[in-house]
Amino acid sequence: MTDETAQQRRYKSFEDTHQMLIELAVGLIADRGIDALSLSALARAAGVNRTTIYYHFTDRDALVAAVKLWSSQQIVAAFRPELPRQARIDYVTRFVLDNPAIMSLWIEDFIAPGDIRASYPHWDALVSGIGTSLAAAFPDEPIDTEVYCVMLLTSALIGPRVFRHRVAPDLDTEATIARFRQEQQRVLRRDGIADDRQDLQQ
């Protein structure tokens, strides 16, 4: 085995362990809330000593930051261009409904001062794409695309939680997803962002 191969294996092992620890932390937050998350609790859940945890996360803040990054990656994954629009809408709505503690943590970061790209890396592409569609649909009407995109993201990432907790708490997840899919597609078609035929095919 070459030195380079051994180094690659060590790196892969580190990355695999790192990812496993983040996912365990996500589970702890889901089960007990963010206040229960600590390096000690993570070490117990992982069955390792605290030294191993410190090797991956210097302190609790670093661990929380890693969980926030993980949640951002899950949300961004829904906006891959190869996914049909219905699949993107369903993925985001389901993630929001299934991960309330993680979403609360992510939203806290999302609305805090700072560059939105830290929480939503595809912001520029979203604004550009939506701007092009809106300009084509409403050529004589000035539209603030950045505000429109903030409204779009907010409704997608916060709306399902409000609906579940305050509007229809007895409705099951699949029915909630279906209702959000239908209304989001209608709004996108209305604004010239979605193609009726494309939505019907999805």
Side-chain angles (χ1 to χ4, degrees):
M1 181 188 305
T2 66
D3 290 343
E4 183 179 352
T5 301
Q7 185 176 3
Q8 288 174 343
R9 288 188 177 178
R10 284 194 298 272
Y11 180 76
K12 188 173 188 299
S13 176
F14 176 88
E15 288 299 304
D16 290 344
T17 302
H18 192 78
Q19 184 61 33
M20 179 268 292
L21 291 173
I22 291 172
E23 291 175 6
L24 276 176
V26 168
L28 288 173
I29 294 171
D31 291 342
R32 308 176 197 171
I34 185 62
D35 292 339
L37 182 64
S38 67
L39 298 182
S40 297
L42 182 58
R44 286 193 296 273
V48 299
N49 59 46
R50 289 181 63 178
T51 303
T52 300
I53 303 299
Y54 281 118
Y55 186 56
H56 289 267
F57 310 103
T58 54
D59 53 27
R60 184 179 183 275
D61 288 343
L63 174 59
V64 171
V67 170
K68 289 179 180 179
L69 177 61
W70 175 88
S71 63
S72 293
Q73 291 168 340
Q74 307 314 301
I75 294 167
V76 167
F79 293 92
R80 297 193 305 271
E82 67 271 17
L83 289 179
R85 179 171 290 108
Q86 176 179 319
R88 295 196 297 265
I89 293 172
D90 288 3
Y91 180 100
V92 170
T93 306
R94 180 172 282 107
F95 186 82
V96 169
L97 293 173
D98 288 349
N99 298 278
I102 297 300
M103 284 308 300
S104 293
L105 184 65
W106 190 86
I107 289 167
E108 177 185 312
D109 192 55
F110 188 62
I111 64 176
D115 191 335
I116 192 172
R117 294 161 190 82
S119 297
Y120 186 72
H122 294 310
W123 173 254
D124 293 324
L126 178 68
V127 171
S128 176
I130 294 292
T132 299
S133 297
L134 291 174
F138 307 97
D140 301 321
E141 185 175 347
I143 298 174
D144 191 325
T145 309
E146 289 183 324
V147 171
Y148 184 95
C149 289
V150 168
M151 293 167 62
L152 198 66
L153 283 178
T154 302
S155 67
L157 299 174
I158 298 177
R161 291 276 307 281
V162 175
F163 187 82
R164 163 165 283 179
H165 293 302
R166 307 301 296 269
V167 179
D170 297 327
L171 198 64
D172 66 40
T173 296
E174 294 308 314
T176 301
I177 290 170
R179 288 180 67 173
F180 268 81
R181 177 198 314 136
Q182 178 180 337
E183 194 56 25
Q184 286 182 18
Q185 288 180 324
R186 185 192 67 78
V187 169
L188 293 173
R189 287 194 300 270
R190 179 202 68 192
D191 292 347
I193 296 171
D195 185 310
D196 286 295
R197 289 168 298 177
Q198 181 189 29
D199 280 345
L200 288 173
Q201 290 169 358
Q202 290 173 2

